[in-house]
Amino acid sequence: MTRFVIKRLAAAVFVLVSISILVFLIFFATPGVDPAARIAGRNADQLTLQQVRATFDLDKPLHIRYVSMMKHLFIDRDLTSYVNRGAEVLPQLTQAIPATLSLVFGAAIIWLLLGLILGITAAGMRKSWVDPAIGIIGIIGVSLPVYWLGEVVNLITQGRLHATLFRWVPPLGYVPFTESPGGWFLALLFPWLTLSLLYAGIYIRVIRSEIVSLMQEDFIKTERAKGAGEKRILIKHASRMSLITVVSLFGLDFGALVGGSALLTEVVFGIQGVGRLTFTALQNFDLPLIMATVMYAAFFIVIANAIVDLVYAWIDPRVRRG
Amino acid sequence: MSQEILRVNNVSRIYETSGGSFGRKNKVSALDGVSFNLVHGETLGIVGESGCGKSTLGRIISRLDTPTSGEIIYKGNDIAKKSLSAMRPLRKEIQFIFQDPYASLNPRRQIGAIIEEPMRIHGMGKDERRARAHELLEKVGLDKNSYEKYPHEFSGGQRQRVVIARALTLKPELIIADEPVSALDVSIQAQVLNLFKELQDEMKLTYIFVAHDLGVVRHISDRIAVMYLGKIVELGSVEEIYNNPQHPYTKALLSANPRIDQSAKSTRQILTGDIPSPLNRPSGCSFHTRCPIAVPECSTREPELRRIGAVDVACNLVV
Amino acid sequence: MAEKLLEVKNLCVSFKTRKGVVRAVNNLSFSINHGEVLGIVGESGSGKSVSMSAVMGLIKDENAEITGEVFFNGEDLLKKSDEELRAIRGKDIAMVFQDPMTALTPVYTIGWHIREQLQLHSDISDKDAKARAIELLEEVGIPDPEKRVDQYPHEFSGGMRQRAIIAMALSLNPKLLIADEPTTALDVTIQAQILDLLERLRKTYNSSIIIITHDMGVVSELSSEVLVMYAGRMVERSTKSSLFANPQHPYTKGLMNSVPRVDRARTSRLETISGQPASLLNLPSGCAFRNRCPSAHAACTEQPTFISDSNGYGAACFLLTEGVRS
Ligand SMILES: Nc1ncnc2c1ncn2[C@@H]1O[C@H](COP(=O)(O)OP(=O)(O)OP(=O)(O)O)[C@@H](O)[C@H]1O
Ligand SMILES: Nc1ncnc2c1ncn2[C@@H]1O[C@H](COP(=O)(O)OP(=O)(O)O)[C@@H](O)[C@H]1O
Ligand code: SF4
Ligand code: SF4
Ligand SMILES: [Mg+2]
Ligand SMILES: [Mg+2]
């Protein structure tokens, strides 16, 4: 197992370095495009261009440019946005990361709990009205667009009812945990619920159908022949086995969300998160910021996948190989 | 009359599998120095337990797979390293029949089209193809109106007949059949076995017949090769192998076969232990971990297949 | 003699499907005594597994209809609730299935599975259960059981898994073991080991065994009594020796002659049963074997009754009654 962990982590580092090279090449070595002009932004004067060339070592060979870029990104952390008139890039990112992580982590806990509880219940009560009822909840969750749902939630909680029923809801925006844990929680509560509803819908359906098909497996027949009760078979065997699927799905979803896919939720609820940051960066063609956010997204997706693989090995003995 | 059609010389096949570890590959020796010859019109049966390399051998001879080393002399030419395009004309003559009659037919095509496909590939005219398909359907004992049916409308035995008909389209000389009756019910198995025999007499076919059922192999074969972990351990005529087995593995295999007549039960001999994985084949004689008569020397000295009396045997102790 | 351990009377199982009603088991009646081994043979789809699943109360399909009586120790199992049946399953009647590769939950160790079986029916501590698991593995011939007990199913070979499953099935000393094609997925030399193991354990535990198979050889190795099924019906029931020496039903005869036998002289042609195995959706009226039977005649458009002697031995074929009459 230890060897497995070490190997998996080494692979993750390898992938990260590869991605950084790839991203670098795309933005800084596209033939026929002057990266300096791009970084400096539209209508930049000669002076700025020269300054850009100097800081990014753009006159030097490719590999030195790469090293210089990485140095600015990770070691000196002084990558500056020219489009945005000299704002440093990394502080923006370090402010955005906790917001996005808080949003996605909280939502993930909610949707996993909902997905597991309702998915298992639906599969276990397939012959009663409960299953179709849960199925409808799932469909509703999947079919409500996050943006629309968020606006509706805001309309209710921030609108006229804000004065009465929803007085306790803070105004839109993110409150850092370190500032006020209570405020953090309240500010994120509705974003969490909104974001998790969509995923809960998906997970309920996936978990239910996974368990239903697992219940046809031979080992379930063996369990029945052993005299095990249906509830035990459902929980200890079918649900336990379904975790294998859940974990791999979760890894993908979590990685994507942390990497920026929570954009819509961030926008509706006014949270300055990574998704929003990336979006603004792309809009302004702010190359240093794009580079930083892409690297960040890759980093989290790769880390999430490495963790998933480790959890995977932990819950499925068949993949634990030396 | 007995004219050699095939000679297999010291053929080996090593598969490299990624054992889940980084970079490092596991080597599976699926076939290890297999040699035998085949005479026109005869049937060579190949028996052995799962994973011993029967299918690999079949695939290699029909060149669906390439040996790592060794020669396959078909009618005087070595086809072991021939390219796919160089093999094309020979594909007509060497046909391969798979075990699973369910998986080997395209469910969306009519039986007629399935049977005609090899002829189309080899550029035969439409009318000629159709006539031949009808002739073959009749030959394998299927109804004329099967031509327009789809595979799912047939039972396993009938599907295997379709597979056989397809193999016969180009008038092959050598047919390699990999467990062609294993998936069939006993009563149907007998029908298909009879069909194999009839076709052989009629069309002068040569068969390599892979099976794990000892009764089936005995029924269909003239000579038998017994395999264990990628090697032939005994090779001889049916009579010799079944009446007078020499290799300890052949003996054990025959005695393990459940018998309807229980009077011979006292001689029953049961091998201990599992079949070792080809991933870590035992040293020396690979059977020594289970051999009831093994001596210490067997774990170091690898026996050669050599002629002893009327059969070829690979055992240090048989003289 | 002693009272019957299991007595099945007029068991019928049918499934409603979109293509019509499938009568998978039709009027099956048989019994088995303490310490006996009964072999059930038949081609695939003849209803062997379904009938045994019905006996165990394991058919969960809502489109299934089960009628008849299944007396075990004098009580009708078909009248029992699932909860009552659960107390019997695994304890008094144990079952082993065909494919050892898929029969165990992959995420639990072999020892866990055996411990679960023990704890489902008795108050045994984890520690004692594990010790017992090691003992059982040792008994079924798994080398190094202390280490093996903590391994996962995928770390066992097919033969070893089937041994472990048999160990689990016998852990509570059941009165009846139902083995559904326990060796079909295994190689011959491993099959011989398993059959030998079953025989040895039967003697130690004095359990009765029902072994389902399509292999006449396997029946012959293990059982004292044989029941032959065709298209959901019992067509012949006999002792092993008289069945092999003197089969009564044309289907049994055909089945025995179509197997290429190692212990007989080689023939150039095998005798065959013509036609295809019966499709339950499309059976001929009367005797289901009629369209394949070499002796079929006018009377066979009716359903032949099963003519049996006082032991329940006999066959369902008009040739028998007509023979008596003439
Ligand atoms: N759930 C089901 N719904 C419909 N038909 C079924 C169902 N289960 C079994 N059958 C049918 O019942 C018949 C008997 O099935 P069974 O599994 O007992 O056959 P078997 O003799 O054990 O065959 P095999 O050797 O292939 O396992 C088959 O025709 C099968 O298709
Ligand atoms: N493509 C492959 N890659 C790796 N190993 C293989 C491959 N094909 C066959 N083998 C291995 O070679 C051995 C012989 O296989 P095969 O010829 O299929 O056995 P069988 O006698 O059951 O037909 C087995 O151990 C099998 O796992
Ligand atoms: S060489 Fe030795 S181990 Fe191998 S079969 Fe002969 S006696 Fe047995
Ligand atoms: S009843 Fe008639 S058709 Fe059926 S087995 Fe007997 S002779 Fe054959
Ligand atoms: Mg094979
Ligand atoms: Mg079955």
Side-chain angles (χ1 to χ4, degrees), chain B residues 15 17 28 30 48-57 59 178-179 278:
Chain B
Y15 289 111
T17 60
V28 183
E49 295 175 280
S50 62
C52 73
K54 307 181 296 290
S55 309
T56 306
L57 180 59
R59 279 200 308 272
D178 185 10
E179 311 241 11

Side-chain angles (χ1 to χ4, degrees), chain A residues 44-90:
Chain A
D45 53 54
Q46 277 305 317
L47 199 70
T48 325
L49 280 179
Q50 244 149 42
Q51 204 183 335
V52 168
R53 289 212 178 85
T55 34
F56 291 99
D57 290 323
L58 289 178
D59 309 318
K60 310 246 168 72
L62 206 56
H63 62 275
I64 298 192
R65 274 192 257 161
Y66 170 74
V67 172
S68 152
M69 183 73 197
M70 290 302 125
K71 201 161 151 257
H72 282 304
L73 245 180
F74 293 113
I75 298 167
D76 302 341
R77 302 178 194 205
D78 59 355
L79 202 60
T80 324
S81 159
Y82 284 83
V83 180
N84 208 355
R85 275 170 250 101
E88 285 211 352
V89 165
L90 282 167

Side-chain angles (χ1 to χ4, degrees), chain B residues 119-131:
Chain B
M119 299 190 263
R120 218 182 45 236
I121 294 171
H122 284 270
M124 227 185 252
K126 196 173 174 198
D127 295 337
E128 194 187 350
R129 289 199 316 244
R130 203 181 162 90

Side-chain angles (χ1 to χ4, degrees), chain C residues 162-221:
Chain C
Q162 199 64 304
R163 281 167 192 272
I165 291 168
I166 290 173
M168 182 169 78
L170 292 175
S171 60
L172 293 160
N173 203 351
K175 299 186 183 71
L176 175 65
L177 174 69
I178 300 177
D180 187 352
E181 312 232 20
T183 60
T184 304
L186 304 174
D187 277 309
V188 216
T189 59
I190 309 301
Q191 163 167 291
Q193 294 172 354
I194 298 293
L195 293 179
D196 186 58
L197 174 70
L198 282 173
E199 176 70 23
R200 185 162 62 75
L201 293 174
R202 186 186 66 81
K203 286 184 185 137
T204 343
Y205 286 80
N206 196 28
S207 300
S208 306
I209 298 181
I210 295 180
I211 180 159
I212 297 179
T213 170
H214 62 267
D215 186 338
M216 287 286 185
V218 169
V219 184
S220 170
E221 291 279 337

Side-chain angles (χ1 to χ4, degrees), chain C residues 283-302:
Chain C
L283 284 184
S285 62
C287 175
F289 191 51
R290 185 157 64 90
N291 52 359
R292 305 177 75 191
C293 178
S295 319
H297 52 289
C300 307
T301 49
E302 306 276 320

Side-chain angles (χ1 to χ4, degrees), chain B residues 107-140:
Chain B
R108 279 184 292 275
R109 308 200 56 187
Q110 291 178 336
I111 300 301
I114 290 175
I115 295 179
E116 286 178 20
E117 184 171 339
M119 299 190 263
R120 218 182 45 236
I121 294 171
H122 284 270
M124 227 185 252
K126 196 173 174 198
D127 295 337
E128 194 187 350
R129 289 199 316 244
R130 203 181 162 90
R132 179 111 179 99
H134 276 104
E135 179 193 327
L136 284 167
L137 279 174
E138 195 182 325
K139 192 165 258 171
V140 298

Side-chain angles (χ1 to χ4, degrees), chain C residues 269-307:
Chain C
R269 268 187 72 85
L270 290 168
E271 275 183 43
T272 61
I273 304 176
S274 65
Q276 303 302 320
S279 146
L280 291 178
L281 278 168
N282 189 10
L283 284 184
S285 62
C287 175
F289 191 51
R290 185 157 64 90
N291 52 359
R292 305 177 75 191
C293 178
S295 319
H297 52 289
C300 307
T301 49
E302 306 276 320
Q303 178 64 47
T305 43
F306 193 90
I307 310 291

